[in-house]
Structures are given as C-alpha cells and as structure tokens.
Amino acid sequence: VCLTCCSRDIMVKIDQICHKNSVKFFTGDVFGYHGYMFADLGEHEFVEEKTKVTKVSPGVEDGPDTKKAKLDSSETTMVKKRVVFCQLKEALAVDWSGEKAKAALKRTTPDYFLLQ
C-alpha cells in the first residue's frame, strides 16, 4: 500500500491495518524542497553474501599491515539475516528527551523536526 497527501491519523490507521495483515506499507509526501518517506515492511528475511576474512599467520609478513586481516575474495559465505520494521505509530512516538536519544539527535537532520 502506498499513501501520499494523507493526514497523520489516516497514515497511522492504515499502517496498523497493513502491519496486522502482513501487507507492506509506504507513505511519503513532498513540501517544496523538503519531503519524507516511511516504509513498514514488517518482517523481512534475506541472505547476504559475505567475503571470508582470513588472518595472516605471524612471521609470514613484516611491516605495518601484518596485524590486519586479509580479505579473500575467492571465498564467500552466505549469511541469513532478518530485519523487523517498526510501525509508523512507534516511529512518531520517539522520546527525544532521553539519554539514548542524544546520539540519535546528532544524526537526525533538522528537516525531520520541520516536517513534524
């Protein structure tokens, strides 16, 4: 489901219905140069291919790079991952006054609060 130009209450209500029924939900809007997009994709499982890291045995090489791990691009492994997306209601209910929020506040652009 994709929504644009809707009120906050309608977006939250439709997201809750979609989340309950495992339907992917997208919403967004644009206001001149500013805009937003939100996605609630429920639970998402995927497989990611990772390059194996091999450690160099001591005494094989000399120099500053001796302690660094080497990437072997010929050997890869498949890693299963799972992501759980939050609902719009939860995303809008973030408490910005707590200690945890201070670090997130530094990474959040001022546009976010303008759009709120």
Side-chain angles (χ1 to χ4, degrees):
V1 172
C2 296
L3 292 181
T4 60
C5 305
C6 292
S7 70
R8 179 185 275 198
D9 293 336
I10 290 173
M11 289 186 295
V12 168
K13 184 176 182 175
I14 293 176
D15 179 41
Q16 287 176 333
I17 294 167
C18 289
H19 195 84
K20 181 179 165 187
N21 294 295
S22 300
V23 174
K24 294 174 180 13
F25 173 81
F26 298 89
T27 188
D29 213 338
V30 177
F31 308 100
Y33 289 112
H34 301 278
Y36 70 91
M37 192 286 284
F38 178 83
D40 177 1
L41 305 178
E43 292 183 24
H44 179 67
E45 289 187 357
F46 60 99
V47 177
E48 186 175 76
E49 188 175 13
K50 293 272 191 176
T51 305
K52 282 193 175 181
V53 177
T54 56
K55 293 188 177 182
V56 178
S57 20
V60 174
E61 286 185 30
D62 289 332
D65 296 334
T66 305
K67 293 182 182 177
K68 291 185 182 177
K70 303 288 182 185
L71 292 177
D72 184 3
S73 59
S74 62
E75 283 193 57
T76 59
T77 183
M78 302 304 269
V79 179
K80 187 176 180 180
K81 294 192 174 187
R82 182 174 172 257
V83 177
V84 179
F85 288 78
C86 74
Q87 292 185 43
L88 180 60
K89 186 176 183 178
E90 294 169 20
L92 294 172
V94 172
D95 178 18
W96 293 100
S97 63
E99 274 301 312
K100 274 186 159 181
K102 285 186 180 179
L105 196 57
K106 291 177 184 176
R107 295 188 313 266
T108 305
T109 65
D111 296 356
Y112 171 81
F113 299 102
L114 223 139
L115 292 168
Q116 286 286 339

